Amino acid sequence: MRPTTKAKKSDVSVIRGGRVLDVRAHRADAADILIVGDTITEIGAPGLRAPAGATTIDARGKLLHAGLVNAHTHAHGNLAKGTGDRWTLELLLTAGPWISGNRSLEDRYLSAKLGAVEMVLKGCTAAYDLPLEWPAPTPEGLDAVGRAYADVGMRAHMAPMMADRTFFEAIPGLMDVLTPGMRKDVEKLRLAPWKTTIANMRKALKSWSLDRGRVRLGLAPTIPHHCSDDFIRASVDLAKEYELGLHTHVAESKVQAIVGLKLYGKTLTAHLDDLGVLGPRFTVAHGVWLDADDMRRLGDQGASVAHNPGSNLRLGNGLADMRGMLDRHVNVGVGTDGANCSDNQNVYEAMRLASFVSKGQSPDIERWVTTEEVALAAMEGGARALGFADQIGRLAPGYKADIVFLDLGHPNWIPLNDPTNQLVHTEDGGAVAHVMIGGRMVVQDRRLTTVDVAALAREAEAARERLARLNAPGKELYERLATVVDRFCPGLAHVPYHVARYVGGA
Ligand SMILES: [Zn+2]
């Protein structure tokens, strides 16, 4: 144990000389920030009184903003960044055994660490992560991902992707159009029964050894029709028992939205509502194809949407209606999605795209989201979705000291006209000088203090090589299956959505 008096003294620090961003006011006035332990205790005019022995952190020439929150990513995606180009969501799912297969515990750790490193270097201090483990999540696999976040020093809410139907079983008619050989191969991908998955999650929750204030567990029944109703109900029950977040990809692609209508005779959101999923701890990933009633249901029940415009563009899924969500009181966070479909982990870029895709949907500026709405989504909205509301997402007394220091001498900030607009529309991560998480400098002068990035690069390269060899048959399988998926799925999506709504997707 550390001697308490000494620890207390060194636990106090004061950030002096910086300009603190007020997102709503579009201002960044000079102010000092007092931090005790991991928490901001006071923000005041320059010259703020600090206890003797407090460590002074020089923030002259820096703009200070609350750490960004990535509302949706996938740890396993980071080792696969840049692997594909012309992929729909359905092709991405088909590519799973190739790009995410044969991962060892060390690979899971490595992939998560790569993403965490990229995120913190780009001003993001917390993430909602949906890691994948086949045929079911395990306590060991989750521990490996959680340790990666803890070792980097970042916060995370980890909700493993769970399903009891493969993509091929989940899309009606798809199995029937596969050749007998393909069907045999696809049958080998079968997932664990849902009772095994729920039992594994229960074990993981019981044995979780990481600080839950930093890295916590949630549940992600990954896509509604990839999960039986019993599985979803069991997830809801477990989430209630442990007060966990629930996170599901809903109406991400048009194919999903139409399949939902076909299977349930109602939208995916209405189906989840019937199963008791909706509530303040529920997050919809994407929600590109939500209709007004879906948004109303989500808003009325205090749910969140993780808006991932980069991924939605990259996979050809369309443009989500962030204005429509905000109008119906849906809590919106901003995410990058996994690096296997976005292909970076840059929340600044995600904010910029969130603003631009809103503006790109109509010339009616009343329907456009504003830069402060986007910035608040990437800070407070994400914090709420992750279950860290009132703890992160703001620089204010009582909030955790998760602070990004942007260099005002960087071209992104010359000249400084409007800090909120520039944060969303100009900043790209290039000006990130330091990043503090929970009072600890995780990035100092653009370098990680917690991770040897050169060593990480060597390990990642070795893993890449090994996995490419092991997953060669998975790649070959993808290439065969893609020829069918690529024709069958767009065929479903060619039904006009408004027609599908009235005829049950027929
Ligand atoms: Zn996702």
Side-chain angles (χ1 to χ4, degrees):
M1 286 294 273
R2 291 181 304 168
T4 15
T5 40
K6 211 174 167 197
K8 253 189 187 158
K9 260 193 180 174
S10 60
D11 266 3
V12 180
S13 48
V14 60
I15 302 174
R16 295 199 186 280
R19 297 175 67 162
V20 178
L21 175 66
D22 181 337
V23 171
R24 290 178 175 84
H26 289 245
R27 293 176 64 93
D29 296 333
D32 293 349
I33 302 178
L34 188 67
I35 296 160
V36 179
D38 65 354
T39 304
I40 296 170
T41 56
E42 203 179 341
I43 299 181
L48 183 72
R49 275 180 57 135
T55 309
T56 299
I57 297 164
D58 182 7
R60 282 173 298 174
K62 304 287 190 294
L63 179 95
L64 309 177
H65 72 77
L68 303 175
V69 180
N70 189 349
H72 187 78
T73 185
H74 296 277
H76 57 278
N78 299 295
L79 275 173
K81 68 173 69 120
T83 309
D85 179 14
R86 297 205 292 180
W87 279 349
T88 58
L89 172 67
E90 288 68 32
L91 287 171
L92 174 72
L93 294 172
T94 305
W98 162 29
I99 62 174
S100 312
N102 288 302
R103 298 281 180 94
S104 65
L105 284 179
E106 191 50 39
D107 295 329
R108 296 184 193 291
Y109 174 80
L110 196 59
S111 195
K113 199 169 183 180
L114 274 172
V117 161
E118 182 177 352
M119 284 188 264
V120 291
L121 284 170
K122 295 175 182 172
C124 170
T125 54
Y128 213 142
D129 191 320
L130 282 70
L132 170 71
E133 200 174 349
W134 179 88
T138 63
E140 301 74 30
L142 290 166
D143 178 69
V145 175
R147 271 189 295 109
Y149 278 107
D151 288 351
V152 173
M154 200 179 150
R155 293 181 206 278
H157 188 144
M158 289 161 40
M161 296 167 84
M162 316 186 299
D164 58 351
R165 292 182 194 135
T166 64
F167 161 68
F168 294 92
E169 293 165 329
I171 304 286
L174 180 53
M175 275 294 203
D176 305 333
V177 296
L178 299 180
T179 65
M182 287 176 185
R183 218 171 296 145
K184 242 173 111 187
D185 286 329
V186 161
E187 274 159 12
K188 288 183 202 142
L189 305 175
R190 191 147 284 163
L191 292 151
W194 67 261
K195 285 184 180 169
T196 306
T197 298
I198 293 288
N200 285 5
M201 286 312 299
R202 202 172 268 287
K203 254 186 249 163
L205 286 158
K206 281 198 178 131
S207 64
W208 197 242
S209 61
L210 298 166
D211 173 1
R212 287 165 205 241
R214 301 292 291 245
V215 184
R216 64 180 56 164
L217 287 176
L219 302 172
T222 185
I223 297 171
H225 49 283
H226 290 220
C227 301
S228 59
D229 292 357
D230 285 342
F231 190 3
I232 293 179
R233 283 196 201 95
S235 304
V236 171
D237 290 345
L238 188 61
K240 270 197 192 127
E241 188 182 333
Y242 282 86
E243 300 189 341
L244 307 174
L246 282 166
H247 197 134
T248 303
H249 298 85
V250 182
E252 175 178 359
S253 70
K254 189 174 171 185
V255 170
Q256 274 182 5
I258 285 179
V259 166
L261 294 171
K262 256 184 199 279
L263 291 175
Y264 307 117
K266 61 186 96 163
T267 67
L268 293 163
T269 304
H271 172 63
L272 292 176
D273 197 4
D274 289 351
L275 294 174
V277 175
L278 273 53
R281 281 199 291 270
F282 177 55
T283 299
V284 160
H286 306 289
V288 175
W289 292 87
L290 296 178
D291 65 20
D293 178 62
D294 294 335
M295 291 180 197
R296 207 171 297 117
R297 288 172 189 259
L298 293 168
D300 288 351
Q301 296 184 69
S304 303
V305 170
H307 176 32
N308 308 287
S311 161
N312 299 154
L313 290 167
R314 157 90 154 85
L315 298 175
N317 285 327
L319 310 174
D321 178 11
M322 183 169 164
R323 169 89 281 139
M325 295 173 194
L326 293 177
D327 283 353
R328 293 172 184 89
H329 314 291
V330 178
N331 174 55
V332 178
V334 176
T336 57
D337 206 353
N340 52 17
C341 62
S342 65
D343 289 35
N344 65 27
Q345 298 292 293
N346 189 339
V347 182
Y348 293 109
E349 187 190 275
M351 286 198 289
R352 188 170 192 259
L353 288 171
S355 174
F356 285 11
V357 301
S358 170
K359 284 147 180 141
Q361 290 179 53
S362 96
D364 176 4
I365 62 166
E366 295 296 317
R367 303 291 309 153
W368 294 2
V369 294
T370 62
T371 52
E372 68 264 21
E373 283 172 324
V374 171
L376 290 172
M379 295 173 182
E380 296 175 17
R384 187 173 141 194
L386 265 68
F388 287 107
D390 304 326
Q391 294 174 60
I392 61 170
R394 271 182 81 180
L395 297 187
Y399 280 73
K400 299 293 180 195
D402 293 6
I403 306 172
V404 179
F405 297 61
L406 294 177
D407 180 3
L408 289 170
H410 188 279
N412 288 348
W413 296 92
I414 306 172
L416 174 54
N417 285 313
D418 178 311
T420 302
N421 289 346
Q422 273 165 273
L423 185 83
V424 174
H425 287 164
T426 318
E427 183 52 48
D428 51 10
V432 175
H434 322 306
V435 178
M436 175 185 273
I437 305 179
R440 171 196 190 196
M441 281 296 194
V442 173
V443 176
Q444 176 86 49
D445 298 315
R446 301 170 195 276
R447 299 175 74 91
L448 263 300
T449 62
T450 49
V451 176
D452 177 349
V453 178
L456 181 67
R458 285 191 297 274
E459 289 165 31
E461 184 52 31
R464 187 201 64 77
E465 230 180 274
R466 196 185 78 256
L467 289 170
R469 218 170 34 244
L470 286 174
N471 290 327
K475 184 176 185 208
E476 186 272 332
L477 175 63
Y478 168 78
E479 279 159 3
R480 276 189 293 131
L481 292 171
T483 57
V484 178
V485 173
D486 192 22
R487 273 180 292 124
F488 185 82
C489 289
L492 287 174
H494 283 146
V495 180
Y497 185 64
H498 66 278
V499 173
R501 275 193 64 77
Y502 292 104
V503 295

